[in-house]
Amino acid sequence: DNLVPVAVTKVVETVGVVLLLGRIGEWMDHAPSRFTALSKMIGIQNGSVIIACGIIWYLIENKDEDGTMKTLAVAVLMILSSFTAICCLATTMSIERDWIVVMSDEDTEWLSRLTSAMKLIDLTAKVLTPGIAGILFDYTSPIVVASSLGYNG
């Protein structure tokens, strides 16, 4: 009934990113195939989301229950959120570092414009998404909310 779990989740997520993102970046740089490394990151991210959806569903179904299971479920959600954030950032790094540069074919002006456009899209999505999500959550079922929170958590 308060925002402490959300704040703690963000702290856990940030610590996880700080501790692991550099190592994951090195691993991706030295992986035999960038595509395989990227596929693994996406697989881990999606697996974390699926598990998180199940846990959120459990928490919704047992919202009146307090105790060890609820605390454990929230702790696991925090860790899964960290995995999801790390994988998302690793995927973004890979795309920005490799694919855009290759696509530009050493045309620095085109690369600059594309990078600016990608940043604009990213920032616009970050600004608009919370409002749109809030409106949709008001008009949908708990299953849709749990799925969406799990995927974007």
Side-chain angles (χ1 to χ4, degrees):
D1 293 340
N2 59 40
L3 295 176
V4 172
V6 175
V8 172
T9 298
K10 284 301 176 185
V11 169
V12 169
E13 186 178 300
T14 302
V15 168
V17 167
V18 168
L19 293 177
L20 297 175
L21 192 58
R23 289 186 179 160
I24 290 174
E26 286 178 22
W27 171 74
M28 290 183 81
D29 285 342
H30 295 97
S33 165
R34 179 70 72 163
F35 181 75
T36 302
L38 198 56
S39 296
K40 287 181 182 180
M41 288 292 106
I42 292 170
I44 292 169
Q45 181 179 5
N46 288 341
S48 296
V49 167
I50 290 168
I51 295 168
C53 286
I55 293 171
I56 290 171
W57 181 251
Y58 167 81
L59 290 171
I60 289 171
E61 288 294 312
N62 299 292
K63 62 184 168 196
D64 297 330
E65 186 179 310
D66 283 331
T68 307
M69 282 303 291
K70 187 174 184 179
T71 304
L72 181 63
V74 171
V76 171
L77 276 175
M78 290 177 186
I79 293 167
L80 290 172
S81 173
S82 208
F83 286 161
T84 303
I86 291 166
C87 291
C88 181
L89 287 170
T91 302
T92 302
M93 275 189 340
S94 176
I95 291 170
E96 288 177 352
R97 186 184 302 167
D98 295 328
W99 294 355
I100 293 175
V101 174
V102 169
M103 285 173 32
S104 74
D105 197 30
E106 298 182 19
D107 182 353
T108 56
E109 183 179 329
W110 188 83
L111 178 62
S112 177
R113 285 195 320 262
L114 184 60
T115 302
S116 296
M118 287 183 64
K119 288 292 180 190
L120 178 64
I121 292 167
D122 185 46
L123 293 173
T124 303
K126 287 180 180 177
V127 168
L128 295 178
T129 301
I132 293 169
I135 291 168
L136 290 175
F137 290 170
D138 278 346
Y139 297 104
T140 58
S141 71
I143 294 171
V144 173
V145 174
S147 299
S148 179
L149 289 175
Y151 186 74
N152 296 304

